[in-house]
């Protein structure tokens, strides 16, 4: 129990400290997300999410996206998937005017999950085909994400809190400079019910010429849409 409290305090301190020190050129960046995951058969799951990111606490839009994909478990814990994403990207020009770009992004991915004790570790490899407007561009990008979920409850107890650690590296296939960015996330999940949770995190994103920091607030729901077998 003492170890769980210490881990919770450490993650909370890291989150607060990150938010306080995120006031760089991109002041008070925020990242809001809603994620829904629904079982549609015994082997397949639909995942859909929407994100809103801002340069300030909420009003200065940076990015908006919607995203959905369906995976299928081919063998235990191995899930290939296909999906698509639509994005509205807003950035600042050198004269402080806004530039708006639109992106359509089909993607394919495979996820491998496993456990060390009760800690879950997820590996995801994704390939994206990016169709971007203003000006028109086509890019292919590869992303590798490792996610760790650490339960803070004892075995047999009802889960209330869990830790979140993630690292994702993104690489461009068709550019002279292949490195796109690296994103590190540390946070805390708070269970609000059997199938829902609130997540708070600090995100650091390193790119070739800049670093951006975000405060993250996310909400997730899990559903079961499988047809019930008749008794």
């Amino acid at each position: 129990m003492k170890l769980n409290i210490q881990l919770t305090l450490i993650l909370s301190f890291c989150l607060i400290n990150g938010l306080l020190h995120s006031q760089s050129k991109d002041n008070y960046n925020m990242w809001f997300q809603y994620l829904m995951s629904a079982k549609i058969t015994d082997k397949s799951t639909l995942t859909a999410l929407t994100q809103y990111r801002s340069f300030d606490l909420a009003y200065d839009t940076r990015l908006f996206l919607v995203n959905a994909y369906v995976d299928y478990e081919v063998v235990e814990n191995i899930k290939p998937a296909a999906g698509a994403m639509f994005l509205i990207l807003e950035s600042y020009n050198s004269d402080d005017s806004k530039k708006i770009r639109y992106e359509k992004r089909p993607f394919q991915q495979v996820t491998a999950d496993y456990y060390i004790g009760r800690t879950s570790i997820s590996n995801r490899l994704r390939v994206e085909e990016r169709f971007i407007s203003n000006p028109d561009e086509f890019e292919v990008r590869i992303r590798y994400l490792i996610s760790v979920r650490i339960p803070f409850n004892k075995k047999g107890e009802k889960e209330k809190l869990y830790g979140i650690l993630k690292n994702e590296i993104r690489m461009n296939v068709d550019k002279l400079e292949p490195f796109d960015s690296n994103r590190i996330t540390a946070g805390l999940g708070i269970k609000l019910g059997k199938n829902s949770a609130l997540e708070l995190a600090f995100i650091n994103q390193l790119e070739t010429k800049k670093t951006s920091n975000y405060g993250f607030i996310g909400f997730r729901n899990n559903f079961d849409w499988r047809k019930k077998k008749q008794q």
Side-chain angles (χ1 to χ4, degrees):
M1 185 64 181
K2 289 183 178 179
L3 179 59
N4 291 343
I5 293 172
Q6 289 172 352
L7 288 171
T8 303
L9 291 173
I10 289 170
L11 280 172
S12 299
F13 173 78
C14 290
L15 174 60
I16 294 169
N17 187 61
L19 289 172
L20 290 175
H21 288 85
S22 65
Q23 302 175 30
S24 58
K25 184 178 179 180
D26 299 333
N27 206 17
Y28 295 112
N29 292 309
M30 290 299 297
W31 181 319
F32 303 94
Q33 177 174 291
Y34 173 75
L35 183 145
M36 179 212 75
S37 180
K39 266 297 212 189
I40 51 180
T41 71
D42 290 343
K43 293 286 189 179
S44 57
T45 303
L46 168 67
T47 301
L49 67 85
T50 183
Q51 283 180 13
Y52 174 79
R53 304 180 204 169
S54 61
F55 287 101
D56 55 9
L57 292 175
Y59 300 106
D60 191 358
T61 303
R62 182 172 189 148
L63 176 150
F64 173 78
L65 70 82
V66 290
N67 169 6
Y69 63 88
V70 176
D71 63 37
Y72 184 84
E73 188 174 31
V74 291
V75 296
E76 187 176 7
N77 296 327
I78 306 295
K79 301 175 183 178
M85 189 181 306
F86 175 74
L87 305 92
I88 303 172
L89 310 165
E90 297 191 29
S91 59
Y92 279 101
N93 296 309
S94 57
D95 62 356
D96 287 336
S97 61
K98 271 288 188 78
K99 179 178 182 179
I100 299 178
R101 309 186 75 186
Y102 299 93
E103 180 177 344
K104 298 174 183 177
R105 186 189 300 178
F107 60 86
Q108 306 78 43
Q109 67 183 40
V110 60
T111 304
D113 301 322
Y114 59 96
Y115 288 83
I116 298 177
R118 292 186 302 116
T119 297
S120 64
I121 300 175
S122 177
N123 297 272
R124 186 188 74 192
L125 182 66
R126 175 181 287 182
V127 180
E128 302 174 322
E129 297 80 39
R130 306 180 64 195
F131 298 86
I132 310 171
S133 66
N134 189 28
D136 291 343
E137 293 182 48
F138 174 74
E139 299 176 4
V140 177
R141 187 166 65 181
I142 296 175
R143 304 166 61 154
Y144 170 68
L145 169 69
I146 181 168
S147 305
V148 180
R149 188 180 187 277
I150 309 164
F152 288 163
N153 60 301
K154 290 183 179 180
K155 188 175 181 180
E157 290 182 343
K158 184 178 179 181
E159 185 180 56
K160 295 181 179 180
L161 299 172
Y162 57 89
I164 304 163
L165 294 173
K166 299 181 183 182
N167 188 73
E168 182 177 42
I169 185 167
R170 305 188 294 180
M171 305 291 289
N172 296 306
V173 173
D174 50 352
K175 286 188 175 182
L176 294 177
E177 173 56 63
F179 177 75
D180 181 279
S181 58
N182 190 79
R183 183 181 292 161
I184 298 172
T185 303
L188 184 69
I190 305 166
K191 294 284 286 186
L192 302 178
K194 183 180 178 181
N195 298 312
S196 61
L198 174 69
E199 296 182 342
L200 307 173
F202 171 69
I203 299 174
N204 172 268
Q205 181 165 303
L206 173 66
E207 300 174 46
T208 303
K209 296 182 180 179
K210 69 174 184 176
T211 298
S212 299
N213 298 297
Y214 296 86
F216 173 90
I217 302 174
F219 187 82
R220 60 169 60 234
N221 277 130
N222 296 321
F223 300 98
D224 189 343
W225 292 349
R226 290 174 291 184
K227 292 183 179 179
K228 302 299 181 182
K229 294 181 180 180
Q230 298 293 328
Q231 297 295 328

